[in-house]
Amino acid sequence: MADGSPRPASQVYTWEPSNAAIAARYGLRPEDVLRFDTNTSPLPPPFVADVLAETFEPPLNEYPDSSYEALTAAAAAYTGAEPNEVIVGAGADEVLDLVAKAYLAAGSSALVPIPTYAMYGVLTTQRAARIVSVPRLGPEDRWSLNVERVVAELPNVSVAWLCAPNNPTGAPEPEEKISTVLDASAKLARPPLMVVDEAYFEFTNTTVVPWRHRYSNLLAVRTVSKAFALAGARVGFAVGARSVIERLERVRPPGSISTTSAHLATRALMDPAYALQNVRMLSEERDWLAAQLTALGWPSTPSVTNFLLVRVGDNAAAEQAADGLLQAGIVPRTFGPANPLRGHLRLTVRTRDDNEHLVDAARALAS
């Protein structure tokens, strides 16, 4: 499974195994597999059936309108931006891929604070660009950015991948750290594109979107996969200065978002109340789950997201715990021996019933 470590260009990235594959390996039924590894919401939005019953325009026998005017307008209204400051994609991952295509030429470099979301390294190496790894501060500082080292590397890169809150640690990035890094980038003769991945924005309500007028090299990336519970629809978007959006538009494929996905995401962004309710529920469950796991000897890094980074022990202990959870039908996110988070597991927050199942399995492993 993906572990967040940077990989050399020659190494194939492995995606999450399917429920069927996990069930076959551990002698389970696919319906009994619980995904605690994907950071998705446990329940779909309440309006899905209503939207799918609508008559689509254009109809499903035709290609979608590649301008995605309604979706772009909804994303703009939700973020307080203008439609021409927004670009949409098939998930936030496609938006990140557009960044790599537009800004990372072969032989260029991208800054990746480690540990962080694995796709930044994957996309960088796919473009034959070099990863400039900058270690984050340690667990006592909640794995936050090492600002001094990040700033020192900015003149050497074309893109800086930043994640706030950070995945897989679940910790927020202090706003003053982000602003310091952005200020430093803006003073350079050739500023890199500063990508701030805000996939978990709804859990913190802290954003750099209003700063797009101050920094012409800033791009804020969002998704409807997390708080909006539409991971299967695969819709993301980004907000930035018009010059950045225009450059990304040149490499955006037409029709990559399906008609049904565009309609679902538009409806979600136009009525975000359910997403905020989902955030409140998941935040309460997160705190409950953290307390339960801590009592069992699995303390977690304080999280503001819908997942927990829990300390199990050394790398061998974490691998043993992961295998034990898998045998119980619970899929955790693991970290390889080259990752600074070895000895940890990342666990998605789900419903109370699911979370109790996780706690029971962890208790059995601890006994």
Side-chain angles (χ1 to χ4, degrees):
M1 297 175 201
D3 66 7
S5 305
R7 288 162 167 75
S10 60
Q11 185 172 339
V12 176
Y13 185 79
T14 56
W15 310 107
E16 294 87 356
S18 67
N19 286 6
I22 293 170
R25 179 178 178 182
Y26 288 91
L28 305 167
R29 297 183 305 169
E31 59 267 30
D32 292 333
V33 173
L34 291 175
R35 303 304 300 232
F36 279 84
D37 62 326
T38 55
N39 294 355
T40 52
S41 288
L43 299 172
F47 56 76
V48 170
D50 293 339
V51 172
L52 295 181
E54 295 175 1
T55 299
F56 295 131
E57 181 56 41
L60 292 180
N61 59 300
E62 302 291 348
Y63 290 112
D65 173 13
S66 60
S67 71
Y68 297 109
E69 185 176 351
L71 174 58
T72 302
Y78 178 66
T79 57
E82 296 298 324
N84 68 359
E85 298 175 311
V86 175
I87 190 166
V88 299
D93 282 345
E94 184 179 54
V95 176
L96 299 175
D97 186 53
L98 298 181
V99 169
K101 289 178 178 177
Y103 284 87
L104 289 178
S108 64
S109 299
L111 185 147
V112 182
I114 300 296
T116 195
Y117 184 38
M119 280 304 297
Y120 308 145
V122 172
L123 295 171
T124 299
T125 56
Q126 283 179 347
R127 308 311 301 174
R130 183 175 68 93
I131 297 173
V132 177
S133 297
V134 177
R136 291 174 173 270
L137 300 177
E140 65 280 359
D141 293 300
R142 300 178 69 179
W143 307 97
S144 66
L145 286 176
N146 186 325
V147 171
E148 183 178 354
R149 294 190 62 174
V150 167
V151 169
E153 292 290 357
L154 290 178
N156 306 319
V157 300
S158 299
V159 171
W161 302 107
L162 307 177
C163 193
N166 187 43
N167 174 15
T169 62
E173 200 62 69
E175 190 171 307
E176 62 273 15
K177 289 198 170 190
I178 296 291
S179 63
T180 297
V181 170
L182 292 175
D183 283 341
S185 75
K187 295 174 183 177
L188 297 174
R190 299 183 64 181
L193 180 67
M194 306 297 291
V195 179
V196 180
D197 187 343
E198 298 183 344
Y200 302 92
F201 155 74
E202 286 78 14
F203 289 85
T204 64
N205 203 35
T206 300
T207 179
V208 298
V209 166
W211 298 357
R212 69 193 184 282
H213 301 303
R214 192 189 319 170
Y215 305 106
S216 61
N217 62 323
L218 172 63
L219 186 74
V221 181
R222 301 275 190 89
T223 183
V224 298
S225 294
K226 309 302 181 183
F228 288 95
L230 282 172
R234 306 307 302 127
V235 177
F237 57 96
V239 181
R242 179 59 196 159
S243 59
V244 173
I245 300 301
E246 186 175 29
R247 186 163 171 175
L248 298 179
E249 287 174 341
R250 296 177 194 149
V251 296
R252 184 175 72 83
S256 63
I257 306 172
S258 74
T259 298
T260 52
S261 291
H263 276 71
L264 285 166
T266 300
R267 170 68 177 272
L269 292 168
M270 290 176 64
D271 184 18
Y274 85 92
L276 300 181
Q277 181 179 357
N278 189 36
V279 165
R280 287 192 291 270
M281 182 275 289
L282 290 172
S283 297
E284 291 174 0
E285 280 300 306
R286 178 195 65 221
D287 296 343
W288 178 87
L289 181 59
Q292 298 298 311
L293 293 176
T294 297
L296 294 175
W298 288 8
S300 60
T301 298
S303 173
V304 295
T305 61
N306 66 332
F307 61 87
L308 294 170
L309 180 71
V310 300
R311 178 76 185 184
V312 178
D314 59 16
N315 196 41
E319 289 181 355
Q320 184 177 7
D323 189 68
L325 292 176
L326 283 161
Q327 292 183 44
I330 293 169
V331 188
R333 178 56 58 92
T334 58
F335 303 95
N339 194 291
L341 297 180
R342 58 191 178 277
H344 292 78
L345 298 177
R346 195 196 69 193
L347 299 167
T348 304
V349 178
R350 296 178 58 88
T351 64
R352 177 58 63 91
D353 285 347
D354 291 346
N355 294 335
E356 287 180 341
H357 188 43
L358 167 62
V359 171
D360 288 343
R363 183 178 295 110
L365 292 172
S367 61

